[in-house]
PDB file of all heavy atoms in Angstrom:
ATOM      1  N   ARG A   5     129.311 -35.744  20.279  1.00  0.00           N
ATOM      2  CA  ARG A   5     128.444 -35.508  21.417  1.00  0.00           C
ATOM      3  C   ARG A   5     127.630 -36.751  21.737  1.00  0.00           C
ATOM      4  O   ARG A   5     127.008 -37.346  20.859  1.00  0.00           O
ATOM      5  CB  ARG A   5     127.498 -34.335  21.145  1.00  0.00           C
ATOM      6  CG  ARG A   5     128.199 -32.986  21.122  1.00  0.00           C
ATOM      7  CD  ARG A   5     127.178 -31.871  21.143  1.00  0.00           C
ATOM      8  NE  ARG A   5     127.826 -30.580  21.288  1.00  0.00           N
ATOM      9  CZ  ARG A   5     127.160 -29.449  21.435  1.00  0.00           C
ATOM     10  NH1 ARG A   5     125.845 -29.450  21.438  1.00  0.00           N
ATOM     11  NH2 ARG A   5     127.811 -28.300  21.567  1.00  0.00           N
ATOM     12  N   SER A   6     127.642 -37.130  22.983  1.00  0.00           N
ATOM     13  CA  SER A   6     126.879 -38.275  23.447  1.00  0.00           C
ATOM     14  C   SER A   6     125.498 -37.824  23.888  1.00  0.00           C
ATOM     15  O   SER A   6     125.319 -36.721  24.419  1.00  0.00           O
ATOM     16  CB  SER A   6     127.607 -38.950  24.615  1.00  0.00           C
ATOM     17  OG  SER A   6     126.762 -39.889  25.256  1.00  0.00           O
ATOM     18  N   ALA A   7     124.506 -38.698  23.708  1.00  0.00           N
ATOM     19  CA  ALA A   7     123.150 -38.416  24.163  1.00  0.00           C
ATOM     20  C   ALA A   7     122.961 -38.795  25.622  1.00  0.00           C
ATOM     21  O   ALA A   7     121.903 -38.523  26.192  1.00  0.00           O
ATOM     22  CB  ALA A   7     122.143 -39.162  23.291  1.00  0.00           C
ATOM     23  N   THR A   8     123.966 -39.425  26.230  1.00  0.00           N
ATOM     24  CA  THR A   8     123.849 -39.870  27.615  1.00  0.00           C
ATOM     25  C   THR A   8     124.997 -39.320  28.449  1.00  0.00           C
ATOM     26  O   THR A   8     126.092 -39.043  27.934  1.00  0.00           O
ATOM     27  CB  THR A   8     123.865 -41.400  27.709  1.00  0.00           C
ATOM     28  OG1 THR A   8     125.176 -41.865  27.334  1.00  0.00           O
ATOM     29  CG2 THR A   8     122.829 -42.035  26.789  1.00  0.00           C
ATOM     30  N   ALA A   9     124.755 -39.222  29.754  1.00  0.00           N
ATOM     31  CA  ALA A   9     125.810 -38.769  30.657  1.00  0.00           C
ATOM     32  C   ALA A   9     126.951 -39.772  30.709  1.00  0.00           C
ATOM     33  O   ALA A   9     128.126 -39.399  30.762  1.00  0.00           O
ATOM     34  CB  ALA A   9     125.234 -38.538  32.055  1.00  0.00           C
ATOM     35  N   ALA A  10     126.615 -41.067  30.693  1.00  0.00           N
ATOM     36  CA  ALA A  10     127.656 -42.097  30.752  1.00  0.00           C
ATOM     37  C   ALA A  10     128.557 -42.028  29.525  1.00  0.00           C
ATOM     38  O   ALA A  10     129.779 -42.182  29.614  1.00  0.00           O
ATOM     39  CB  ALA A  10     127.027 -43.482  30.869  1.00  0.00           C
ATOM     40  N   GLY A  11     127.953 -41.804  28.358  1.00  0.00           N
ATOM     41  CA  GLY A  11     128.755 -41.679  27.152  1.00  0.00           C
ATOM     42  C   GLY A  11     129.636 -40.448  27.163  1.00  0.00           C
ATOM     43  O   GLY A  11     130.786 -40.486  26.711  1.00  0.00           O
ATOM     44  N   THR A  12     129.096 -39.342  27.693  1.00  0.00           N
ATOM     45  CA  THR A  12     129.903 -38.119  27.811  1.00  0.00           C
ATOM     46  C   THR A  12     131.100 -38.349  28.720  1.00  0.00           C
ATOM     47  O   THR A  12     132.222 -37.924  28.420  1.00  0.00           O
ATOM     48  CB  THR A  12     129.034 -36.973  28.362  1.00  0.00           C
ATOM     49  OG1 THR A  12     127.968 -36.710  27.437  1.00  0.00           O
ATOM     50  CG2 THR A  12     129.858 -35.706  28.553  1.00  0.00           C
ATOM     51  N   ASP A  13     130.864 -39.044  29.838  1.00  0.00           N
ATOM     52  CA  ASP A  13     131.970 -39.372  30.747  1.00  0.00           C
ATOM     53  C   ASP A  13     133.017 -40.219  30.033  1.00  0.00           C
ATOM     54  O   ASP A  13     134.228 -40.023  30.227  1.00  0.00           O
ATOM     55  CB  ASP A  13     131.447 -40.118  31.972  1.00  0.00           C
ATOM     56  CG  ASP A  13     130.622 -39.234  32.892  1.00  0.00           C
ATOM     57  OD1 ASP A  13     130.700 -37.995  32.759  1.00  0.00           O
ATOM     58  OD2 ASP A  13     129.887 -39.787  33.738  1.00  0.00           O
ATOM     59  N   GLY A  14     132.561 -41.161  29.212  1.00  0.00           N
ATOM     60  CA  GLY A  14     133.497 -42.015  28.491  1.00  0.00           C
ATOM     61  C   GLY A  14     134.330 -41.247  27.492  1.00  0.00           C
ATOM     62  O   GLY A  14     135.549 -41.431  27.395  1.00  0.00           O
ATOM     63  N   LEU A  15     133.693 -40.360  26.735  1.00  0.00           N
ATOM     64  CA  LEU A  15     134.431 -39.550  25.766  1.00  0.00           C
ATOM     65  C   LEU A  15     135.407 -38.615  26.466  1.00  0.00           C
ATOM     66  O   LEU A  15     136.545 -38.432  26.002  1.00  0.00           O
ATOM     67  CB  LEU A  15     133.452 -38.746  24.912  1.00  0.00           C
ATOM     68  CG  LEU A  15     132.620 -39.556  23.907  1.00  0.00           C
ATOM     69  CD1 LEU A  15     131.513 -38.695  23.316  1.00  0.00           C
ATOM     70  CD2 LEU A  15     133.485 -40.138  22.799  1.00  0.00           C
ATOM     71  N   ASP A  16     134.993 -38.053  27.585  1.00  0.00           N
ATOM     72  CA  ASP A  16     135.900 -37.186  28.348  1.00  0.00           C
ATOM     73  C   ASP A  16     137.117 -37.975  28.836  1.00  0.00           C
ATOM     74  O   ASP A  16     138.255 -37.474  28.800  1.00  0.00           O
ATOM     75  CB  ASP A  16     135.174 -36.574  29.545  1.00  0.00           C
ATOM     76  CG  ASP A  16     134.194 -35.484  29.140  1.00  0.00           C
ATOM     77  OD1 ASP A  16     134.295 -35.002  27.993  1.00  0.00           O
ATOM     78  OD2 ASP A  16     133.322 -35.133  29.959  1.00  0.00           O
ATOM     79  N   ALA A  17     136.880 -39.216  29.289  1.00  0.00           N
ATOM     80  CA  ALA A  17     137.985 -40.042  29.786  1.00  0.00           C
ATOM     81  C   ALA A  17     138.957 -40.401  28.671  1.00  0.00           C
ATOM     82  O   ALA A  17     140.175 -40.449  28.884  1.00  0.00           O
ATOM     83  CB  ALA A  17     137.431 -41.315  30.436  1.00  0.00           C
ATOM     84  N   ILE A  18     138.435 -40.634  27.458  1.00  0.00           N
ATOM     85  CA  ILE A  18     139.312 -40.905  26.316  1.00  0.00           C
ATOM     86  C   ILE A  18     140.180 -39.696  26.025  1.00  0.00           C
ATOM     87  O   ILE A  18     141.395 -39.814  25.806  1.00  0.00           O
ATOM     88  CB  ILE A  18     138.483 -41.299  25.074  1.00  0.00           C
ATOM     89  CG1 ILE A  18     137.809 -42.664  25.291  1.00  0.00           C
ATOM     90  CG2 ILE A  18     139.379 -41.345  23.828  1.00  0.00           C
ATOM     91  CD1 ILE A  18     136.810 -43.019  24.197  1.00  0.00           C
ATOM     92  N   ARG A  19     139.582 -38.516  26.033  1.00  0.00           N
ATOM     93  CA  ARG A  19     140.340 -37.301  25.734  1.00  0.00           C
ATOM     94  C   ARG A  19     141.388 -36.994  26.808  1.00  0.00           C
ATOM     95  O   ARG A  19     142.475 -36.517  26.497  1.00  0.00           O
ATOM     96  CB  ARG A  19     139.381 -36.120  25.566  1.00  0.00           C
ATOM     97  CG  ARG A  19     138.614 -36.136  24.252  1.00  0.00           C
ATOM     98  CD  ARG A  19     137.890 -34.824  24.031  1.00  0.00           C
ATOM     99  NE  ARG A  19     136.739 -34.692  24.920  1.00  0.00           N
ATOM    100  CZ  ARG A  19     135.498 -35.026  24.574  1.00  0.00           C
ATOM    101  NH1 ARG A  19     135.257 -35.519  23.384  1.00  0.00           N
ATOM    102  NH2 ARG A  19     134.505 -34.853  25.416  1.00  0.00           N
ATOM    103  N   LYS A  20     141.057 -37.280  28.067  1.00  0.00           N
ATOM    104  CA  LYS A  20     141.976 -36.963  29.159  1.00  0.00           C
ATOM    105  C   LYS A  20     143.141 -37.950  29.251  1.00  0.00           C
ATOM    106  O   LYS A  20     144.252 -37.572  29.641  1.00  0.00           O
ATOM    107  CB  LYS A  20     141.204 -36.949  30.488  1.00  0.00           C
ATOM    108  CG  LYS A  20     140.265 -35.776  30.632  1.00  0.00           C
ATOM    109  CD  LYS A  20     139.446 -35.881  31.918  1.00  0.00           C
ATOM    110  CE  LYS A  20     138.451 -34.733  32.045  1.00  0.00           C
ATOM    111  NZ  LYS A  20     137.597 -34.882  33.259  1.00  0.00           N
ATOM    112  N   ALA A  21     142.895 -39.206  28.923  1.00  0.00           N
ATOM    113  CA  ALA A  21     143.953 -40.224  29.043  1.00  0.00           C
ATOM    114  C   ALA A  21     143.904 -41.164  27.848  1.00  0.00           C
ATOM    115  O   ALA A  21     143.637 -42.364  27.989  1.00  0.00           O
ATOM    116  CB  ALA A  21     143.806 -40.997  30.360  1.00  0.00           C
ATOM    117  N   PRO A  22     144.153 -40.665  26.639  1.00  0.00           N
ATOM    118  CA  PRO A  22     144.041 -41.508  25.442  1.00  0.00           C
ATOM    119  C   PRO A  22     145.017 -42.677  25.425  1.00  0.00           C
ATOM    120  O   PRO A  22     144.712 -43.734  24.866  1.00  0.00           O
ATOM    121  CB  PRO A  22     144.313 -40.529  24.294  1.00  0.00           C
ATOM    122  CG  PRO A  22     145.086 -39.403  24.912  1.00  0.00           C
ATOM    123  CD  PRO A  22     144.555 -39.282  26.304  1.00  0.00           C
TER     124      PRO A  22
END
Side-chain angles (χ1 to χ4, degrees):
R5 289 192 173 185
S6 168
T8 68
T12 298
D13 290 344
L15 289 169
D16 287 344
I18 292 171
R19 285 191 287 265
K20 289 175 182 177

